[in-house]
Amino acid sequence: MRLEPVLKDWLESEAKRSDRSASYVAKQAIQALKDKTEAKADMIRTAVTLADQGAFISEGKVTDWFESLGTENELSEPEADVFLNRA
């Protein structure tokens, strides 16, 4: 794989720092990106399914959750609390 010189230098430095091969570090980074991408796609599919059912999360719950991220009192992901009657 061809890398820009700055990225290649970083990869080699990271590999040396962690006492791993550059291939191992690259593989771990690719796996992490794959996991993150798949998790995001799953979240989007779930949100679309809930929206199609008329279930939404209120702005207040989302804001509270978002503001708690990275704090000692981090909240779990909010669940739907607004339900539209689709009759």
Side-chain angles (χ1 to χ4, degrees):
M1 169 178 5
R2 292 184 186 174
L3 299 174
E4 296 291 323
V6 172
L7 185 55
K8 184 178 180 183
D9 289 345
W10 176 87
L11 178 61
E12 290 171 353
S13 294
E14 184 64 20
K16 186 175 182 179
R17 184 193 65 75
S18 61
D19 197 28
R20 298 286 188 166
S21 69
S23 295
Y24 176 85
V25 173
K27 178 184 167 203
Q28 293 301 105
I30 292 167
Q31 184 66 53
L33 177 60
K34 177 182 178 285
D35 293 346
K36 180 180 174 182
T37 301
E38 289 174 349
K40 182 178 178 180
D42 286 344
M43 288 176 67
I44 291 169
R45 279 191 290 277
T46 299
V48 168
T49 298
L50 290 172
D52 287 346
Q53 296 170 355
F56 299 90
I57 302 170
S58 64
E59 180 180 356
K61 274 193 162 187
V62 172
T63 300
D64 291 345
W65 169 70
F66 182 78
E67 290 177 348
S68 78
L69 296 177
T71 69
E72 290 181 19
N73 299 315
E74 197 168 294
L75 300 174
S76 58
E77 289 183 26
E79 295 185 13
D81 62 336
V82 177
F83 302 94
L84 303 180
N85 186 357
R86 295 187 148 224

